[in-house]
Amino acid sequence: MIDNEELRQQRRDYRADMENFGRQPSKLEAVGPMAIEHQGDDQATVMEQVHAVCWDGSHLLTGDAHPWRWELRKDDGGGRVWSVELPSWCGVHVRPELCRR
């Protein structure tokens, strides 16, 4: 299970990768329907296709959509994120040579 601090760190790391890209996205947007696979025992996997949206002057630029996955489990406090699987920002959502390291 991913604990809250690990989840926050994963988010910070992902944001840092986005900031290393020359242009931060205006937003991340889900494309199409969300797929929920119930796995019994109060567990489910949620998958959604997500793409980046950037404004470039008067032009709207959108990247290719890639799958983002979350594993959810029910516990005493309700449904919780158990794990997160996100595609790499640099090399998947944007070409690696566009990221500053």
Side-chain angles (χ1 to χ4, degrees):
M1 175 180 142
I2 192 168
D3 68 26
N4 287 336
E5 183 52 38
E6 286 177 280
L7 190 59
R8 283 191 289 272
Q9 186 61 49
Q10 187 176 7
R11 180 186 180 280
R12 285 190 296 268
D13 292 345
Y14 209 78
R15 293 283 309 172
D17 283 346
M18 290 190 325
E19 289 168 6
N20 286 330
F21 173 52
R23 172 182 37 230
Q24 285 192 14
S26 302
K27 65 179 177 175
L28 298 172
E29 183 175 68
V31 180
M34 177 186 302
I36 302 172
E37 181 181 315
H38 296 278
Q39 299 168 334
D41 296 333
D42 295 324
Q43 298 180 35
T45 299
V46 177
M47 195 275 298
E48 197 157 25
Q49 296 288 325
V50 175
H51 70 180
V53 177
C54 297
W55 285 101
D56 185 19
S58 61
H59 298 91
L60 181 65
L61 307 172
T62 59
D64 292 336
H66 299 282
W68 290 31
R69 289 182 180 85
W70 299 267
E71 182 183 359
L72 308 176
R73 294 189 184 180
K74 187 175 181 182
D75 65 13
D76 293 340
R80 297 197 188 272
V81 173
W82 191 262
S83 66
V84 178
E85 183 183 322
L86 305 177
S88 297
W89 182 256
C90 295
V92 176
H93 276 290
V94 297
R95 293 188 321 261
E97 64 269 16
L98 297 177
C99 291
R100 297 176 272 175
R101 291 281 172 182

